Amino acid sequence: MKGSKVKTAMAYKKFQSDQLFTGYELLDAKHVLVTHEDGQIEDIVLVSDAGDDIQKFKGILCPGLINCHCHLELSHLKNVIPPGTGLIEFLCSVVTKREASPNPSEGGAYEKSVKKKRQAIINAEKELYENGIVAVGDIGNTADTAEVKSKSKIYWQNFVEVLSFTDEKAEENIAHYKQVLQSFENSLQSSAVSHRSSLVPHAPYSISPRTFKLINELTKDQVISIHNQEHPAEDELYKTGGGDYLKLFKIFGVNQSPFPITGKSSIRSCLPYFNNGQTILLIHNTYMPEEDILFANDYANKNGLTLIYCLCPNANLYIENKLPPIELFIKHNCKLVLGTDSYSSNWQLSIAKEIQAITAMARFETVAPLEQVLQWATINGAKALKWDDELGSFEKRKKPGISLLNTNNWTSKKLA
């Protein structure tokens, strides 16, 4: 791809910066990205072969960024839940504060609350787009974001997140979430950009065995996600039936653990429900030990699954002030991607800030150099969401978008 001269007879756009990241490697300032007027990639050439009219920038030119985990519908919780509460208190706050209030019977006040929630979603989508994010794996328990997404220029993988604590209500709950999924499909069918929707389990502490089995049956060969090992209590729940999650269950009127006691960690207890060719994004993984990484990778390899480990470092720092064992994921050749989580658990919706959270820590300098983390934010994310034929790298005929990453203040913006 590199090395040819640009034909001046055609209309091209040319971009040069301090560094150019292709999706796979960092190139120096001697290289110029050449695109067609519509953003389609034509070539990467040496500046000596690029001709005139080169647009020059400070920073790193890179393909549009991929955010593999977000909760757009929780955007109204920005600055509502303070940092440092710990996961259990955080989850209790989300459950009790996420709905529009006050009561619908109070008329105008309720409508004002709904309008505020919708405006927060609009603002968050705009922030994602302006930060150079071109595709999002977005969690939703409702279809509240469907209208905004129908007008968006971002690619959306809608993860319709199922909560179903008991086998007795598994079919009823699945039927409800199928309706939510259909709402997304109906709203987005005329969208100008790609979109996809799938049912996904929320977490091991909110999905009954029967519900897991139904989701497995309904998601053959699909991309799904599940929150994984965000707190030690998740493993305790499956090992003993006790622990801090019992406090969360009481909000739902459940006084004891409804889940089987397996004597094993949550990932060892729940991953075996899946065997249907899914690509599974394991989200957060904050407290995942090495033996569980080895188990998960081995199970996936033997059962036709593709495992993706999604890191949301700023959310981990916001809630628990702790990062997942990134060195271990790299050591065991795990497929890594990045996400922002929601405004309930982050200061911003910026993949650039997630990159900063990893690369700024001295202990990651050797195990996760910037070039590698940029791969997680671009081509790895595109592959995970199965849009790598269009997004994630500067390859001929792709239209991945162009983002500019400023490593002085760790911001990013959309250029094209």
Side-chain angles (χ1 to χ4, degrees):
M1 183 173 177
K2 293 177 285 185
S4 60
K5 288 192 175 183
V6 177
K7 298 177 182 178
T8 55
M10 298 180 66
Y12 290 109
K13 290 184 176 180
K14 305 167 191 175
F15 303 86
Q16 183 186 19
S17 61
D18 301 317
Q19 291 179 290
L20 191 158
F21 181 68
T22 67
Y24 298 96
E25 61 178 332
L26 269 172
L27 304 178
D28 60 27
K30 297 177 183 179
H31 295 83
V32 174
L33 176 68
V34 183
T35 75
H36 294 268
E37 289 286 340
D38 64 356
Q40 183 181 110
I41 303 302
E42 172 62 22
D43 208 346
I44 294 174
V45 301
L46 294 173
V47 66
S48 57
D49 296 325
D52 300 325
D53 302 320
I54 300 173
Q55 300 179 59
K56 298 184 179 182
F57 300 92
K58 291 289 185 181
I60 302 175
L61 286 174
C62 62
L65 302 169
I66 313 293
N67 182 351
C68 283
H69 183 70
C70 190
H71 296 251
L72 194 66
E73 72 179 17
L74 298 181
S75 298
H76 64 295
L77 295 180
K78 182 178 182 180
N79 298 324
V80 171
I81 304 172
T85 63
L87 183 70
I88 309 302
E89 288 298 326
F90 169 80
L91 291 171
C92 291
S93 295
V94 171
V95 170
T96 56
K97 297 177 180 180
R98 64 174 294 156
E99 297 303 327
S101 60
N103 193 287
S105 64
E106 298 188 21
Y110 177 75
E111 293 300 323
K112 184 177 179 180
S113 180
V114 171
K115 184 177 181 180
K116 181 179 179 181
K117 185 175 182 179
R118 181 178 180 276
Q119 188 59 52
I121 292 170
I122 292 172
N123 293 345
E125 187 278 337
K126 183 173 183 286
E127 179 181 345
L128 289 164
Y129 180 76
E130 291 180 348
N131 282 340
I133 293 170
V134 296
V136 179
D138 190 58
I139 298 287
N141 304 113
T142 71
D144 290 350
T145 60
E147 180 186 356
V148 171
K149 289 174 179 176
S150 70
K151 303 171 185 176
S152 176
K153 296 179 181 178
I154 295 172
Y155 288 41
W156 295 98
Q157 166 65 61
N158 300 299
F159 293 126
V160 178
E161 188 177 68
V162 176
L163 289 90
S164 182
F165 289 91
T166 64
D167 284 350
E168 290 74 18
K169 290 194 173 182
E171 279 81 4
E172 176 185 338
N173 288 328
I174 287 292
H176 165 74
Y177 289 107
K178 277 185 175 180
Q179 292 179 343
V180 175
L181 186 147
Q182 191 59 52
S183 295
F184 276 112
E185 291 299 311
N186 293 342
S187 297
L188 297 176
Q189 61 183 351
S190 60
S191 174
V193 297
S194 295
H195 62 89
R196 202 184 299 114
S197 301
S198 57
L199 294 177
V200 305
H202 166 244
Y205 55 84
S206 60
I207 300 293
S208 75
R210 175 63 180 156
T211 310
F212 268 124
K213 291 175 183 177
L214 289 172
I215 294 173
N216 180 54
E217 293 170 6
L218 292 167
T219 58
K220 179 178 173 59
D221 297 326
Q222 293 184 16
V223 182
I224 64 174
S225 72
I226 183 169
H227 294 79
N228 178 60
Q229 290 171 299
E230 295 178 76
H231 192 277
E234 189 173 313
D235 287 343
E236 185 178 357
L237 185 69
Y238 276 88
K239 289 179 177 179
T240 70
D244 290 344
Y245 274 112
L246 299 183
K247 180 177 180 180
L248 176 67
F249 296 159
K250 288 180 180 178
I251 297 176
F252 295 96
V254 179
N255 293 318
Q256 63 183 29
S257 173
F259 307 110
I261 297 173
T262 64
K264 303 176 183 178
S265 66
S266 60
I267 189 71
R268 290 173 184 264
S269 302
C270 297
L271 188 61
Y273 285 114
F274 295 98
N275 57 10
N276 222 351
Q278 294 95 340
T279 294
I280 304 178
L281 276 69
L282 299 178
I283 310 299
H284 294 304
N285 316 295
T286 322
Y287 290 88
M288 192 174 193
E290 186 169 18
E291 59 266 26
D292 280 353
I293 297 172
L294 291 169
F295 162 80
N297 290 345
D298 182 64
Y299 178 85
N301 290 334
K302 290 178 179 177
N303 290 275
L305 303 176
T306 299
L307 278 192
I308 310 292
Y309 293 77
C310 182
L311 308 178
C312 306
N314 278 314
N316 304 145
L317 294 171
Y318 191 103
I319 298 170
E320 292 272 336
N321 195 29
K322 177 180 173 60
L323 287 173
I326 298 175
E327 300 99 321
L328 292 179
F329 299 132
I330 295 172
K331 174 183 175 182
H332 295 294
N333 299 312
C334 298
K335 297 180 176 70
L336 291 166
V337 297
L338 299 181
T340 62
D341 214 351
S342 76
Y343 252 139
S344 67
S345 60
N346 207 332
W347 298 272
Q348 65 279 310
L349 301 178
S350 166
I351 290 296
K353 294 296 186 184
E354 303 303 322
I355 296 171
Q356 178 190 23
I358 296 171
T359 59
M361 293 199 170
R363 68 189 180 100
F364 295 139
E365 285 182 357
T366 56
V367 296
L370 179 59
E371 183 177 74
Q372 186 173 16
V373 182
L374 288 173
Q375 291 176 15
W376 306 347
T378 55
I379 191 60
N380 282 19
K383 287 180 177 178
L385 298 181
K386 296 189 177 182
W387 278 315
D388 53 302
D389 58 334
E390 303 173 60
L391 307 176
S393 60
F394 292 142
E395 296 180 75
K396 191 176 179 68
R397 287 184 289 277
K398 280 190 178 185
K399 292 183 181 179
I402 304 172
S403 298
L404 182 67
L405 180 65
N406 185 334
T407 57
N408 290 324
N409 58 7
W410 291 101
T411 59
S412 59
K413 65 179 181 180
K414 179 178 177 60
L415 290 185

